[in-house]
Structures are given as structure tokens and as C-alpha cells.
Amino acid sequence: KGLEAIDIANNFEPKYQLISGKKSVVGDLQRAATRADIVYLAADPDREGEAIALHLYEALKLPKEKVRRITFNEITKTAVLAAINAPRTIDMPLCDAQKARRVLDRLFGFTISPVLWNHVAKNLSAGRCQSPALNIICKRELEIRDFSTNLFYSLFGDLTSKLGKLVVK
């Protein structure tokens, strides 16, 4: 679940696996998709929803030309029809943002939570975003503290020789 879900040697690529017991659901969806002319992927309109749409697209092995990504913020006839009439492709930068968050969560959040359990209280979890952000801030603060200034001097002058005026800066 934690670091074993990330292939650190392969550019921090997440390792995904189908939840046990869900193979039949994927099979049912694949069969339904083969009978459909168009498959609408209508997960939430955020990075998590975008990643879910991508994972469904990949798990179901859907042909690209058959897939439409739609989003809506309310489950009403008007909102759903508006979404169906304005489909788009899967937003890969949003999927990449979710992937980055997942990796950071595994690298930092999962390692910080056990520290909280041992030193603060059981069943606390470190925030998915807050922990990596705090890690970056702490590392930067240490860099600032460890910074040593070096004196340097600048020399400016106007010099004249037999060849003419020379400006040194």
C-alpha cells in the first residue's frame, strides 16, 4: 500500500492493481462497452475523477474513438444532458497531477503517519497534501539555515593609458 505501490527505480511510476474481487465488475463493464457505440466516462470533475476515468479507459481496454469524458456538478436532467452534449477527451495533465499527489502521498504521508501513531495518538493520518508540502518547506528551511555567506568585492574604475580611456567594471 505504501512504498511498494511506487516503482522508484522507474521514475516513481505508480503500480496499480485491480481491487480483489472486482474482476467480474470489470468483465461486466467490458461486455457492456462492446455493445455500446459510445462510452461516457462520467467520474467526478476533479483530478481524482479524471484519474478514475483514465483507469477505467485502460482497464476496459476501450477504443479511443468510442470514449467520451463528461463531467457535471449536479445530477439533474439539465446538467447531465449538457455534459453529454459537451464531451471532451481525458485531461492528461489533470491525471498527471493526481499521479504526482499519489506518489507524494506514498513517499511522505505513509511514512509520517506511523510517527504520529507512536508519538501523538493512534489512528491519526498525515495529510495527503500537507505532509509532502511540509517536507518541502522543512528541507528549504534547512537549506536557508545552512547557507553561508561569502564576501565578494566589485572593482569599478576609469583608467587612462597612452592608448586611450579604459573603463573597468
Side-chain angles (χ1 to χ4, degrees):
K1 285 188 174 194
L3 292 179
E4 65 272 8
I6 306 298
D7 186 353
I8 295 171
N10 187 22
N11 202 24
F12 297 92
E13 193 63 33
K15 298 176 191 174
Y16 298 104
Q17 62 184 26
L18 191 58
I19 296 172
S20 99
K22 297 298 179 183
K23 261 188 179 168
S24 65
V25 173
V26 171
D28 291 344
L29 290 171
Q30 282 175 321
R31 283 186 290 284
T34 59
R35 295 188 303 270
D37 294 331
I38 297 173
V39 176
Y40 291 97
L41 300 175
D44 289 346
D46 58 13
R47 67 177 161 244
E48 302 294 330
E50 207 68 26
I52 289 168
L54 176 65
H55 294 152
L56 273 171
Y57 167 73
E58 292 172 346
L60 300 177
K61 299 176 178 84
L62 298 170
K64 191 175 183 178
E65 63 277 356
K66 228 177 154 169
V67 175
R68 306 292 186 278
R69 173 74 171 113
I70 61 171
T71 60
F72 42 89
N73 292 311
E74 59 188 47
I75 303 175
T76 63
K77 182 178 179 179
T78 304
V80 173
L81 288 175
I84 289 171
N85 289 321
R88 61 175 175 80
T89 59
I90 294 173
D91 185 337
M92 291 310 294
L94 207 51
C95 292
D96 290 340
Q98 188 278 337
K99 185 190 296 186
R101 181 174 176 166
R102 179 184 174 92
V103 169
L104 288 171
D105 187 25
R106 297 312 187 271
L107 292 175
F108 300 111
F110 277 39
T111 57
I112 293 172
S113 292
V115 174
L116 290 173
W117 303 335
N118 290 331
H119 298 286
V120 181
K122 292 285 181 199
N123 298 322
L124 288 178
S125 66
R128 295 178 61 166
C129 264
Q130 298 87 342
S131 300
L134 183 58
N135 180 286
I136 292 166
I137 291 167
C138 290
K139 284 182 177 179
R140 182 65 180 136
E141 179 61 28
L142 291 174
E143 288 176 10
I144 291 168
R145 286 183 187 176
D146 292 343
F147 180 76
S148 60
T149 59
N150 295 319
L151 293 176
F152 66 93
Y153 300 93
S154 297
L155 177 64
F156 302 94
D158 291 333
L159 307 172
T160 306
S161 72
K162 292 179 183 178
L163 299 173
K165 188 173 183 175
L166 175 67
V167 177
V168 178
K169 289 189 177 181

